[in-house]
Amino acid sequence: QKEVEQNSGPLSVPEGAIASLNCTYSDRGSQSFFWYRQYSGKSPELIMSIYSNGDKEDGRFTAQLNKASQYVSLLIRDSQPSDSATYLCAVNRGGNAGNMLTFGGGTRLMVKP
Amino acid sequence: DAMVIQNPRYQVTQFGKPVTLSCSQTLNHNVMYWYQQKSSQAPKLLFHYYDKDFNNEADTPDNFQSRRPNTSFCFLDIRSPGLGDTAMYLCATSGPGLRGDTQYFGPGTRLTVL
């Protein structure tokens, strides 16, 4: 079983719709969760971090965390073509691993005009 | 602006010819990471430095080495690149600040081994 799992997609949504991206993780001790956006040929760019159960909103982005169910999600409201990218979920391993992140394989999002 | 810089951005080398990739940062972060990312895959951690302490991932090939001469600079040396080492190499940093566990990535070096 992979430590961090994401549906590879592509997830296709029309412009203006809500895009919902999901991620599950296996280590119950994980404490920190991150969403990175990666455009083709570019490096990952941090867009959201979340540490507590519940929702965290930042502009059009909302991260949701449920530690009991071991999933974290990212909602993108009013999706724009410029949101088309691969979204990577990353989980801090915690414990002796310090700041080590484990990445999921990413979900490719396509927003169609 | 404070940032993470990687040079070169693109590198083509021949099979078996050593190559060095560099990373520098103006964030004064004490932790620096090197990742390898192959096409359509997740970034894979190769090693990291906590200050001067070097930490190798268990499955990082011996062919990959690293140096960190000071806080600002870190190098990735590939002693004898193979075709399978063609990938994007990402440098990241983390340190005191908003959250110690947040990692910030440089633009990456795209390495092609022919």
Side-chain angles (χ1 to χ4, degrees):
Chain A
Q1 180 187 6
K2 292 183 181 177
E3 295 181 45
V4 180
E5 294 208 49
Q6 298 180 252
N7 188 319
S8 62
L11 172 65
S12 183
V13 300
E15 183 175 357
I18 295 175
S20 178
L21 306 165
N22 300 311
C23 170
T24 59
Y25 60 95
S26 60
D27 184 355
R28 282 196 172 274
S30 300
Q31 296 294 320
S32 308
F33 308 85
F34 305 88
W35 283 100
Y36 285 84
R37 177 176 62 199
Q38 188 172 28
Y39 292 113
S40 180
K42 304 295 185 182
S43 64
E45 173 192 8
L46 179 69
I47 53 172
M48 289 286 288
S49 59
I50 187 165
Y51 307 97
S52 304
N53 279 329
D55 295 358
K56 178 182 177 183
E57 187 174 318
D58 184 0
R60 295 186 298 112
F61 299 99
T62 298
Q64 300 175 318
L65 175 61
N66 184 323
K67 291 185 179 179
S69 299
Q70 295 176 246
Y71 84 78
V72 58
S73 62
L74 179 70
L75 301 178
I76 307 175
R77 289 181 299 280
D78 189 23
S79 295
Q80 301 297 310
S82 58
D83 295 325
S84 298
T86 295
Y87 289 81
L88 299 168
C89 172
V91 176
N92 190 316
R93 299 180 201 172
N96 293 330
N99 293 342
M100 301 305 103
L101 295 182
T102 300
F103 285 86
T107 297
R108 184 167 153 235
L109 173 66
M110 297 173 59
V111 181
K112 297 189 174 181
Chain B
D1 290 342
M3 56 175 52
V4 182
I5 302 166
Q6 291 188 245
N7 284 301
R9 296 292 309 280
Y10 302 91
Q11 177 74 56
V12 179
T13 192
Q14 291 183 337
F15 181 94
K17 186 174 181 181
V19 66
T20 295
L21 311 181
S22 74
C23 176
S24 63
Q25 53 117 346
T26 60
L27 298 159
N28 204 32
H29 282 170
N30 57 335
V31 190
M32 295 185 77
Y33 311 81
W34 279 105
Y35 290 87
Q36 178 193 63
Q37 187 179 26
K38 296 185 177 181
S39 182
S40 301
Q41 295 184 21
K44 177 181 178 299
L45 182 65
L46 296 173
F47 23 61
H48 76 280
Y49 279 91
Y50 192 102
D51 292 321
K52 290 190 175 184
D53 292 334
F54 176 74
N55 298 273
N56 203 30
E57 291 296 293
D59 57 354
T60 298
D62 292 340
N63 199 25
F64 290 83
Q65 302 286 317
S66 185
R67 297 168 282 137
R68 188 179 187 186
N70 54 53
T71 300
S72 300
F73 284 87
C74 195
F75 299 96
L76 169 61
D77 301 307
I78 308 176
R79 292 189 297 187
S80 182
L83 300 180
D85 296 329
T86 291
M88 173 83 89
Y89 289 87
L90 298 163
C91 174
T93 72
S94 69
L98 293 173
R99 277 289 298 228
D101 56 4
T102 301
Q103 293 188 19
Y104 297 93
F105 285 85
T109 294
R110 184 169 294 281
L111 175 68
T112 301
V113 182
L114 300 176

